[in-house]
Amino acid sequence: SQTIHQWPATLVQPVGSPLSLECTVEGTSNPNLYWYRQAAGRGLQLLFYSVGIGQISSEVPQNLSASRPQDRQFILSSKKLLLSDSGFYLCAWTPGSTDTQYFGPGTRLTVL
Amino acid sequence: QKEVEQDPGPLSVPEGAIVSLNCTYSNSAFQYFMWYRQYSRKGPELLMYTYSSGNKEDGRFTAQVDKSSKYISLFIRDSQPSDSATYLCAMSGVSGGSNYKLTFGKGTLLTVNP
């Protein structure tokens, strides 16, 4: 069966520090991968998605970037965090043949 | 007009009640409809998936789609305190496309009181 992992689970970072969040999927190959941010009262905001290694599409211009160095690995990064980057970050995946997305457990990021 | 509208609630019901959660949408291209359940501080989990108009039942949960009215519903029968969560609707218009982006509602917070 397929499993999606995210780490760390929680993170507290100072403003201006770098960020690296990691997402990995097990039990499948060539998944589509997604990064979302969920802020209170604002719903799920799609940040990036990837249909293959090295292929990244950005949905919202911002302080963040994404990379996909391996088929089942998706990384969300920032060089300098802003207060507004605080939120709950969710990684999701779909198999190549369906639009149903499956979410990871999330990373709660607090920028102070 | 937003593509997907969902009443954020909060919705509070007694245990055993029938719960009705709803979303409306404006994009007539949407064909695939999903409901996710999200417990506090957890990732959303897929609850129901339906294609086009009609009903789909899974245990105590029934998903209903009315494409003519651009309206989808999730019914929960015999609600339990363990059903307390945020429920998110999601939809897409393309299956077999290259990116499978979903459009989500903002979620409805449900509390079932024992």
Side-chain angles (χ1 to χ4, degrees):
Chain A
S1 63
Q2 299 85 11
T3 311
I4 180 168
H5 303 280
Q6 285 187 248
W7 62 88
T10 60
L11 194 58
V12 180
Q13 292 285 89
V15 170
S17 63
L19 173 74
S20 181
L21 303 181
E22 189 166 342
C23 170
T24 58
V25 182
E26 295 179 353
T28 188
S29 60
N30 197 32
N32 291 346
L33 297 171
Y34 306 81
W35 277 113
Y36 289 88
R37 178 168 58 206
Q38 189 175 37
R42 297 190 62 185
L44 282 168
Q45 180 185 31
L46 179 62
L47 303 175
F48 301 94
Y49 68 92
S50 171
V51 299
I53 296 174
Q55 301 179 62
I56 308 295
S57 296
S58 174
E59 287 293 299
V60 182
Q62 57 205 317
N63 186 40
L64 302 169
S65 62
S67 62
R68 186 170 176 173
Q70 299 180 43
D71 181 45
R72 291 169 291 172
Q73 184 185 32
F74 205 22
I75 296 173
L76 183 69
S77 304
S78 173
K79 292 182 179 178
K80 288 186 177 182
L81 283 169
L82 306 172
L83 286 172
S84 58
D85 291 324
S86 293
F88 191 44
Y89 287 82
L90 289 157
C91 181
W93 72 280
T94 64
S97 58
T98 178
D99 44 3
T100 308
Q101 293 185 13
Y102 300 92
F103 287 85
T107 294
R108 188 159 301 279
L109 172 66
T110 303
V111 182
L112 302 174
Chain B
Q1 181 185 13
K2 294 181 181 177
E3 275 198 297
V4 179
E5 300 271 7
Q6 184 176 10
D7 187 339
L11 181 61
S12 182
V13 301
E15 184 175 354
I18 297 175
V19 176
S20 173
L21 304 166
N22 311 294
C23 287
T24 59
Y25 62 95
S26 58
N27 189 344
S28 58
F30 287 143
Q31 301 264 7
Y32 304 90
F33 305 92
M34 284 141 270
W35 285 96
Y36 287 84
R37 177 175 63 196
Q38 185 176 22
Y39 291 115
S40 179
R41 308 181 78 85
K42 303 289 185 183
E45 58 178 322
L46 180 67
L47 202 57
M48 298 286 283
Y49 173 84
T50 56
Y51 166 67
S52 200
S53 289
N55 291 1
K56 181 177 181 179
E57 188 173 319
D58 184 2
R60 296 185 294 110
F61 299 90
T62 300
Q64 188 175 79
V65 174
D66 183 348
K67 289 192 69 182
S68 62
S69 302
K70 298 189 179 66
Y71 189 87
I72 67 170
S73 300
L74 178 70
F75 298 97
I76 307 175
R77 293 184 299 278
D78 188 25
S79 56
Q80 303 294 310
S82 58
D83 295 327
S84 298
T86 296
Y87 290 81
L88 300 152
C89 63
M91 47 198 79
S92 71
V94 178
S95 183
S98 62
N99 54 41
Y100 303 107
K101 286 192 285 185
L102 296 180
T103 302
F104 286 88
K106 288 192 174 181
T108 299
L109 177 60
L110 170 67
T111 300
V112 180
N113 301 299

